[in-house]
Amino acid sequence: MKAKSPVKFILLFAAATCSACSPTGQLIGYRSYDHFNTEATWAFVSGSEGAEETWNAIKETLDRIEYSLSTESEGGSVARFNACEAGETVEIDAIAYDVLAQAKSYYEKTSGAYNPAVGLLVDLWGFTPRFTGASGGAAQPYDREDETQRLPDEKYLTAFTALTDFSGVELFERDGKYYAKKPESARAVVCDAEGRETEYTMRLNLGGIGKGYAVDETEKLVRAAGYERGYFNLGGSSMFVLNGEDGGAQEIGILNPRPSERFPTQTYATVREENASLSSSGDYQLYYEIDGKRYCHIVNPFTGYPVNAEPQNDGSGLLTASVFGLSAAEGDAVTTALLVMGRDDALSYIAENLSGARVSLVYYDGAADSYTVYTNYSDDRFSLNVSGMEVVKL
Amino acid sequence: MPLDTLEKIRTRKPFAPLDLLVYLFLAVAIVTAIVALAVGARGERARGIELFAGEECVCTFSFSDGLTVGSGWEDSVTVQTGETTVLTVYFDEARSEYNRLEIDLSEGTVVMADATCSRRRDCTHMAPIRGGRGVIVCLPHDLKVMAIGGDEFANPVLG
């Protein structure tokens, strides 16, 4: 070797290494706790210009969507629909019309497993803001003295389950205005414990899909402003990711539905994604237990019970479902629907309808006390973060 | 390849001084890359947490330097040290309304262990703060617990 060669080699190697590791910009961001009773996080690469203006535009968009879709906002479209009589038509804004039109599409695609007309059932089980502390709200005849000790009265379960025929909701546009009509049949009279009769009509709850819709609208804003790296996360259950800070894929952890000594990690899996929307539904953040059985906020419209909590259920069922690569709104609807369908129907639905998307499910078998992860991810984009869960590739 | 070149390669000393310099440089580069990958994969840890009641700072808790209580909250925050550090924020004089955090200093994790906010105590079901990321919110008490420092925007979590 010539005398100068090693020095030259070192210089060339160092130059190549420095080039490969040159700074690409760290992710920085904004957070807000003012929308959808949850956290909104927008992350982008440091050095981006006009970020504050974009963030303000994002917050204004979230404000408008939340006002339109919230069951609590006075004058909002969904709140007015919920308050109207059966057979009545109410004018709604363009946001509510758009979201309801999407909801009807997902309702049909999932054969009713995604159904936003479960509003009364969600309230009956105690998962609306008046229970979770986000806002007040008048007591109802069907309220339990302590919802963590006693199941709802069967007569309310039966009556409210009968008020979930979302196919009967009519949407139409006339002279540039939008309308929704509550079905004439969507009414039920229930006699309370003191003999007083109360009439109930269908109520919508667009909480899940509403967040996904907000994520989709935010993605349009962020892309229009020229951002190509980062992500937007609304409450953890809906987000979009652009490229990572280095321009490639981002690693996204998926929350472990049963953190415990057996599965001690925060996430059960990590996936690699870029330029995709992500959604997740699970039974592990809003729930309570009665006699050891978990009652979560996702209500099965066919039975009226929270998923996996029907009287005959031993706790078996899908604990969490995550979908990547659909719009966030559709992802929200689909992940909710998969939990409602249960494992076997969910796997059939995935095979027949979600070939272009990536999915990851966690199923618990109560009899065998075993956990199984079902995923169609390729090995180079999916890694399991826990031991003791079997992985089945779809 | 000419025969004389092959002969030179075959007969020259493999540990000539300048060659040793190359070997040393490569070894340092490889070790540096491994360390960088290991640290990078974990992300920077949080240095502590800060607690807000509405817009008001209740306290900060540094994992290295301990507690600093915000103005007006001096009688409402306690810290107990032990195997796990327990930080409690009280919201009334009788100390019947509270949120209780458990902090694992060695792991840099924080979890809402107990609260009197509602029967359901939804905040106790929220994911722990870990590795510089995450927030725990108690809506009835309007309390937010957030990580300080750390690589808080790296690697989002879904769920």
Side-chain angles (χ1 to χ4, degrees), chain A residues 47-115:
Chain A
S48 305
E49 290 181 4
E52 190 163 355
E53 288 80 3
T54 304
W55 176 236
N56 288 334
I58 290 171
K59 288 194 293 184
E60 284 170 19
T61 300
L62 297 177
D63 276 339
R64 282 188 290 111
I65 295 172
E66 184 176 22
Y67 173 76
S68 173
L69 304 183
S70 169
T71 57
E72 311 290 317
S73 56
E74 198 175 325
S77 290
V78 169
R80 283 188 293 105
F81 179 91
N82 284 350
C84 82
E85 301 293 327
E88 195 179 336
T89 298
V90 291
E91 185 181 341
I92 57 176
D93 60 26
I95 290 171
Y97 182 83
D98 195 11
V99 174
L100 282 169
Q102 289 190 40
K104 282 185 88 68
S105 160
Y106 307 143
Y107 172 83
E108 286 162 16
K109 275 187 189 175
T110 61
S111 304
Y114 168 71
N115 185 343

Side-chain angles (χ1 to χ4, degrees), chain A residues 1 3-4 6-7 9-10 13-14 26-31 33 37 39 41-43 125-127 131-134 144-148 231 233 235-239 241 245 250-255 264-267 278-280 284-288 322 324, chain B residues 8 12-13 16-26 29-30 33 36 40-41 44 55 117-142 144-147 150-159:
Chain A
M1 195 176 276
K4 285 184 180 172
V7 176
F9 172 80
I10 290 170
F13 185 89
Q26 189 186 359
L27 285 180
I28 59 172
Y30 291 101
R31 289 190 200 284
Y33 303 93
N37 298 319
E39 177 191 357
T41 305
W42 175 42
W125 284 100
F127 292 105
F131 292 94
T132 54
R144 292 160 281 168
E145 193 175 328
D146 182 346
E147 73 273 9
T148 64
Y231 62 86
N233 183 351
S237 59
S238 304
M239 72 171 85
V241 295
E245 57 192 331
Q250 301 194 54
E251 289 195 344
I252 298 130
I254 313 176
L255 274 183
T265 58
Q266 182 189 17
T267 58
L278 330 170
S279 297
S280 198
Y284 48 87
Q285 284 196 333
L286 283 175
Y287 70 90
Y288 50 84
S322 301
F324 307 76
Chain B
K8 276 182 191 170
R12 80 179 168 79
K13 292 177 183 173
L18 284 172
D19 284 352
L20 285 174
L21 188 61
V22 172
Y23 301 149
L24 181 66
F25 177 81
L26 285 173
I30 289 166
E44 193 185 336
E55 300 300 316
C117 51
S118 65
R119 288 194 291 262
R120 299 242 296 279
R121 305 182 309 142
D122 292 326
C123 57
T124 65
H125 301 149
M126 292 187 72
I129 291 172
R130 188 188 300 266
R133 181 180 49 234
V135 60
I136 301 173
V137 179
C138 176
L139 286 170
H141 284 159
D142 198 12
K144 289 192 284 277
V145 185
M146 292 181 285
D151 206 356
E152 61 172 317
F153 290 105
N155 302 340
V157 172
L158 180 71

Side-chain angles (χ1 to χ4, degrees), chain A residues 43 136 150 210 243 277 280 361 371:
Chain A
R150 206 161 68 81
N243 294 309
S277 293
S280 198
L361 317 173
Y371 293 81

